Amino acid sequence: MGFEKNQIYTVTIEDIGAEGEGIGKIEGFSLFVKDALPGDVAKVKLTKVRKNYAFARLEEIIKPSPGRVEPCCPVSRQCGGCQIQALSYGKQLAFKQSKVENNLVRIGGFEPEMIREIMEPIIGMESPWRYRNKAQYPFGCSKDGTPVTGFYAGRTHVIIPNTDCLLGARENKRILDTILKHMRQYQVAAYDEGTGQGLVRHVLVRIGHATGQIMVVLVLTSPVMPSKNNFMKALRELHPEITTIVINVNDRDTSMILGEKEYAAYGRGYIEDELCGMTFRISPKSFYQVNPVQTEKLYGKAMEYACLTGVETVLDAYCGTGTIGMIASRHAASVLGVELNRDAVRDAVNNAKQNQISNIRFYENDAGDFLLELAQQGGKLDVLFLDPPRSGSSEAFLNAAVRTGPGRIVYISCQPETLVRDLRILVRKGYKAEKCVAVDMFPYTDSIEAVVSLVREKRA
Ligand code: SAH
């Protein structure tokens, strides 16, 4: 079949792609259709044709997906941050569950019966809005030069004004509106990406779900802010819930949000939150799960899968601020944590001290290098937790991990594709997947989190 631009096809959408677009197939040829949902039967027009796939525009929905609902957010289409907001929450969960299963079967080559046996039902949220404890808002100039904030319209750097993302806390809007007002009042200019002029690039708001502490990070092009004291005073007076304000300096031409240098303009420069009965310190740059309600469920599953009895040596790899390792430390003999980000390691060390945990040690290192060294020194592990970034773990890490002989591995993943890739390596090395569960950490978006437990069947 020859596919050409502007041709119209009828297609059934089966999947969601990396940027939230619907994916349908015609004789093995994939069509990526923006704003289409799994279950839609739609007429689409090809806009860009490649060798094995094409991009297409939705012309008409002939039969809507049974899960289609009216999105709650008025700007959901322009924003694109919530790729599946037009799908009912129940259908979102079903979609995510089947995505994990399908990945394990189709890409992982696992037996479908075996996967059905080990998969538990996905853990969703009772109330799936306003779950994020972290918001990052880009600032820019409107046509008349006044500062605006909102979000980038899909794949562009055009800011669509909006201070109230429905995934974030209600406080965000109030704080951002105050910042905008005071920028006008004190003539603090927003950064202009085109000219490189202006001061305010981004504002980050992080909220401690359990503690209510709020950190505001102003990302500026210069450490010097005109009328800084008045600005800070106004912000604090109107929002006494803000416990710290950090100025972060990013003067480079980069899409990275945070720069290297930062200082606390007010308060301690970090906030604290509580999770699974422990207190955690969160700095501007350290990773901390964004959905605290679901994080407790996720960590609960990870602990259940680890079957700790109090005598084990445990490694928490890719440990961030040390959350998983610290929770495990209560049920293990000793815990090691390894993490690349220096700020996160510093927070982890402080967190352990604050919670009076003495059987944990943190190392700032590449997880693969660390494990290789451990294996070379003959170190042994009983249980390995790993929670790598989206890109997954590495073959070097997994090879070294196996040499340390853990009887159990608990893999926490935010990307099913790399999870499956890594699981195949572990299975080849003598591990067997025992249980798997998806946890919906990011309702309304297409992100999927899953936990898998593996047990060693034979010595490598
Ligand atoms: N387990 C933590 C953090 C998971 S996010 C939690 O639940 O909060 C993944 C973490 O891996 C990030 O903190 C990131 O800084 C870290 N990371 C990324 N690449 C790494 C590497 N090669 N070695 C060690 N840590 C790495």
Side-chain angles (χ1 to χ4, degrees), residues 287 289 299 318-320 323-324 339-341 365-367 387-389:
F287 179 91
Q289 294 282 357
Y299 290 169
Y318 309 90
C319 69
T323 40
I324 295 172
E339 161 65 46
L340 201 52
N341 180 306
N365 201 346
D366 168 79
D387 184 9

Side-chain angles (χ1 to χ4, degrees), residues 217-237:
V217 184
L218 304 172
V219 185
L220 310 179
T221 49
S222 151
V224 186
M225 182 181 197
S227 320
K228 186 176 99 193
N229 291 344
N230 289 336
F231 194 97
M232 296 294 155
K233 192 160 166 266
L235 200 54
R236 281 167 46 199
E237 274 173 10

